[in-house]
Amino acid sequence: MTQAPARRRADRRQHDREIVSLAIPAFGALVAEPLFLMADTAIVGHLGTAQLAGLGVASALLMTGVSVFVFLAYATTAAVARRVGAGDLQAAIRQGMDGIWLALLLGAAVIAVALPTAPALVELFGASDAAAPYATTYLRISTLGIPAMLVVLAATGLLRGLQDTRTPLYVAVAGFVANGALNAGLVYGADLGVAGSAWGTVIAQCGMAAVYLVVVLRGARKHGASLRPDVAGIRASAQAGVPLLVRTLSLRAVLLIATAVAARLGDADIAAHQIILSLWSLLAFALDAIAIAGQAIIGRYLGAGDTQGARDACRRMVEWGIAVGVVLGILVALTRPAFLPLFTSDSAVKDAALPALLIVALSQPISGIVFVLDGVLMGAGDGPYLAWAMLLTLAVFTPVALLVPVLGGGLTALWATMTLMMTVRMLTLWVRTRSGRWIVTGASR
């Protein structure tokens, strides 16, 4: 009788050690992009409200161009971790190399589409006449860094699947420091304004991609994995990513709709929305660090055929997600007045952001559950369900968000609608994990 509770406590401690050892370094890598954006926001915000509003529209479009391909990281992590669990390191690295080649091809395609259409995209999302030129400039320059960003995603996914989240941490820290220094120097020192901020981010991203490639190529040579592009492997990586692409497109549609609604509320509201969205992204990635650990751990357990280990790890990560969400919510609620002056001196922007930030704070425990369960199902390779669940969430969110300008409530009402969106996601993910249908063992799903 006494052995069972002792065994459970030992298993929980083991799961805690695995989660912490993977999640803490993963947090540093995950927050690289929102930290880049927050640095850009802080620097550009002091140039003026029009510049900050332009950055808000452009960054939403840019993040969409990159984030729709987040499957390069997530699907790669799950697939590589399964092969690690099955004991085939050569196949695991080959899987990651296919993802990197796919990233380069997709990056070139995005540049070809985004450069000529930048002005039309900015106009589509409701930028004012004052903000539109800044948005177009930032978007066109930053688009040139998209191939490097996608290579970073794919290489990060490979390393996570190999249970290595420390290397991405080191690269992310170096990239963030370089980005901040380059932005400050180019915006103020070289007097390039918004263009300087965009160029600084592009240079930093290219440097990060170069470091990742060196690390991955060394690992490939060590384990005898081929470096040449494999058409069949690239095609298989793309096919495996389609459901996650649908899921991510639906999520990005939610964020773009929210930005478009905020833009139509006025320049002060879109500027405030940009500040809040930067913080929300940082909080989301902080919670997603636990989910990244989950992807690697769940994939490894399922690859090794350990279904009970996968279930226990899922349960423990949900507990972590709730606890971290509560802590983050309290921090946001308490630091709101001190946080806003870092990004703007405009009182209208502060007044719009302050109550909306309270909504963000209250929703963090829900977000904790959502991001963890999302990561668990990704680690299991349950992409088709994630796609359908996110399409349902988009269908619920869209009409409610579009009513905000009509019914009133401003930015606070818009972020209450965002909380509704997260609640729907939580319910759909909870139903799936309770069913157990996500548990499929073997080196591939």
Side-chain angles (χ1 to χ4, degrees):
M1 294 293 290
T2 59
Q3 290 181 350
R7 178 61 183 273
R8 285 195 295 269
R9 287 194 296 270
D11 288 343
R12 284 164 64 91
R13 286 194 295 269
Q14 179 184 346
H15 288 311
D16 288 346
R17 284 194 296 270
E18 284 189 318
I19 292 167
V20 170
S21 67
L22 291 172
I24 291 179
F27 172 74
L30 282 168
V31 301
E33 198 59 46
L35 284 177
F36 277 25
L37 183 55
M38 290 184 77
D40 292 354
T41 301
I43 291 170
V44 172
H46 291 287
L47 294 175
T49 299
Q51 288 90 333
L52 182 57
L55 174 64
V57 173
S59 62
L61 289 164
L62 178 67
M63 289 302 295
T64 298
V66 176
S67 296
V68 293
F69 302 118
V70 74
F71 69 83
L72 290 167
Y74 291 159
T76 301
T77 297
V80 170
R82 277 183 177 268
R83 285 161 176 78
V84 169
D88 192 347
L89 285 177
Q90 186 182 73
I93 294 175
R94 178 66 258 180
Q95 181 85 33
M97 290 302 303
D98 291 337
I100 290 173
W101 282 111
L102 179 60
L104 290 170
L105 293 173
L106 292 173
V110 172
I111 288 178
V113 172
L115 281 180
T117 60
L121 291 171
V122 167
E123 182 180 358
L124 176 65
F125 282 92
S128 67
D129 291 340
Y134 299 110
T136 301
T137 296
Y138 190 92
L139 180 59
R140 276 182 163 160
I141 296 171
S142 295
T143 295
L144 300 176
I146 285 180
M149 297 180 192
L150 298 188
V151 167
V152 167
L153 285 175
T156 300
L158 169 57
L159 293 177
R160 289 174 186 162
L162 294 173
Q163 317 294 296
D164 175 12
T165 56
R166 291 185 179 276
T167 299
L169 170 62
Y170 301 146
V171 177
V173 170
F176 173 67
V177 172
N179 178 72
L182 287 166
N183 271 260
L186 293 174
V187 171
Y188 297 120
D191 198 25
L192 293 180
V194 169
S197 177
W199 279 117
T201 301
V202 169
I203 295 169
Q205 290 283 2
C206 289
M208 291 173 66
V211 173
Y212 272 118
L213 287 176
V214 170
V215 172
V216 172
L217 293 179
R218 285 178 179 173
R221 291 192 181 100
K222 178 180 178 181
H223 294 284
S226 173
L227 303 177
R228 294 190 300 271
D230 176 46
V231 175
I234 294 171
R235 185 186 300 114
S237 294
Q239 290 173 344
V242 168
L244 290 181
L245 176 61
V246 173
R247 169 257 181 203
T248 305
L249 282 171
S250 301
L251 178 57
R252 294 308 305 180
V254 166
L255 299 179
L256 287 172
I257 289 168
T259 298
V261 170
R264 284 162 174 76
L265 296 175
D267 278 357
D269 287 285
I270 183 59
H273 179 74
Q274 169 62 21
I275 293 171
I276 296 171
L277 193 59
S278 298
L279 175 63
W280 189 80
S281 298
L282 177 61
L283 296 171
F285 280 115
L287 293 167
D288 208 23
I290 306 170
I292 292 301
Q295 289 179 33
I297 294 169
I298 294 293
R300 192 187 74 234
Y301 275 128
L302 294 179
D306 187 352
T307 60
Q308 188 57 48
R311 288 180 184 275
D312 292 343
C314 174
R315 185 180 304 109
R316 189 58 177 158
M317 282 181 286
V318 169
E319 293 170 357
W320 272 83
I322 294 171
V324 173
V326 170
V327 171
L328 291 177
I330 292 172
L331 288 175
V332 171
L334 294 178
T335 61
R336 287 177 301 145
F339 171 79
L340 289 173
L342 297 175
F343 295 92
T344 182
S345 56
D346 190 324
S347 60
V349 176
K350 292 179 185 177
D351 290 343
L354 199 61
L357 278 171
L358 183 58
I359 300 295
V360 172
L362 294 173
S363 68
Q364 287 310 294
I366 296 173
S367 297
I369 298 172
V370 168
F371 283 100
V372 167
L373 292 182
D374 205 40
V376 166
L377 295 184
M378 284 184 189
D382 200 14
Y385 181 83
L386 290 172
W388 285 110
M390 197 61 227
L391 285 170
L392 173 62
T393 301
L394 175 63
V396 174
F397 169 81
T398 301
V400 179
L402 294 178
L403 285 174
V404 169
V406 178
L407 300 179
L411 200 63
T412 302
L414 177 60
W415 277 92
T417 305
M418 291 288 285
T419 301
L420 170 66
M421 178 270 296
M422 294 299 289
T423 302
V424 174
R425 289 187 69 191
M426 180 183 68
L427 293 174
T428 57
L429 296 173
W430 179 81
V431 167
R432 184 62 168 184
T433 52
R434 290 285 294 176
S435 74
R437 295 177 182 174
W438 55 279
I439 298 178
V440 179
T441 59
S444 61
R445 185 178 174 92

